[in-house]
Amino acid sequence: MELKAKEEERINKIRMESRVPNDSFANLKRGYLFMYNLVQFLGFSWIFVNMTVRLFILGKDSFYDTFHTMADMMYFCQMLAVVEIINALLRVTRSPVIPTLIQFFGRNIILFVIIGSLEEMQSKAVVFFIFYLWSTIEIFRYPFYMLTCIDIEWKLLTWIRYSIWIPCYPLGCLAEAVSIIQSIPLFSETGKFSFTLPYPLNITVKFSFFLQIYLIMLFLGLSVNFRHLYKQRRRRYGPKKRKTN
């Protein structure tokens, strides 16, 4: 009996010791994810609040200098979003890799290439709508993830998180498409990012040609992400299957 008791005590001790690293890792992961989502929430909230205040004060005039007043924070938030790809690849989060990649590269092409590299694009009204729609989605998405990290659910926030994309995502995609269409003649005129194939071809390939292809890919990416978001919402709020006896 004494030997059996000692053996059980030893096994219990091993089990307790094996739990400690797992619990420590889980707490570390939660803290890391909470801080990441908090930083992104604060960044996009800053953009959203400032744009809203400027819209009420300046009216339509605020459309045309959005980039010059909000670009630095948007650059920061969108570059930081690479963390979401790393998290998905390493399975730190359950986010699917493909939709995460589509959103990251899609937004950054618009931000850094279409708008950031052309001064003529930076003063266009479409920039306001792109930034505003992006931030509208994120000021609900990131706090939802923050609360999830600490096992808290706010039903209103949850519903908004799974519903806000329905109007905002297609409108955001439409605004991005408008910015690409507006940039195509500018890239054609300036020859920016265009290149000439080596001899004997000597053919100049204009960057605007790739933009026309990307415009088609943009709507293909929309369908992929739209389907993913729809499945998420259906799992959350769809009709539950009744148990059959």
Side-chain angles (χ1 to χ4, degrees), residues 83-140:
V83 171
E84 296 180 29
I85 298 176
I86 298 170
N87 289 342
L89 288 171
L90 299 180
R91 308 310 301 163
V92 177
T93 62
R94 291 181 293 177
S95 301
V97 177
I98 299 301
T100 305
L101 283 169
I102 290 173
Q103 176 163 303
F104 175 80
F105 285 108
R107 284 189 177 183
N108 281 298
I109 287 172
I110 297 296
L111 179 61
F112 289 95
V113 180
I114 303 299
I115 302 172
S117 68
L118 288 174
E119 290 186 12
E120 296 89 342
M121 285 297 301
Q122 294 168 11
S123 59
K124 291 190 178 292
V126 71
V127 179
F128 173 90
F129 295 100
I130 291 172
F131 283 18
Y132 205 72
L133 288 164
W134 286 357
S135 58
T136 300
I137 293 173
E138 305 303 17
I139 61 172
F140 295 108

Side-chain angles (χ1 to χ4, degrees), residues 22 24 43 51 65 79 84 86 104 117 132 164 168 178 189 197 211 218 237 240:
N22 292 332
S24 298
M51 289 181 69
D65 64 348
M79 286 189 291
E84 296 180 29
I86 298 170
F104 175 80
S117 68
Y132 205 72
I164 193 70
C168 289
V178 169
E189 290 172 10
L197 295 175
L211 289 180
L218 177 69
Y237 294 109
K240 295 180 180 179

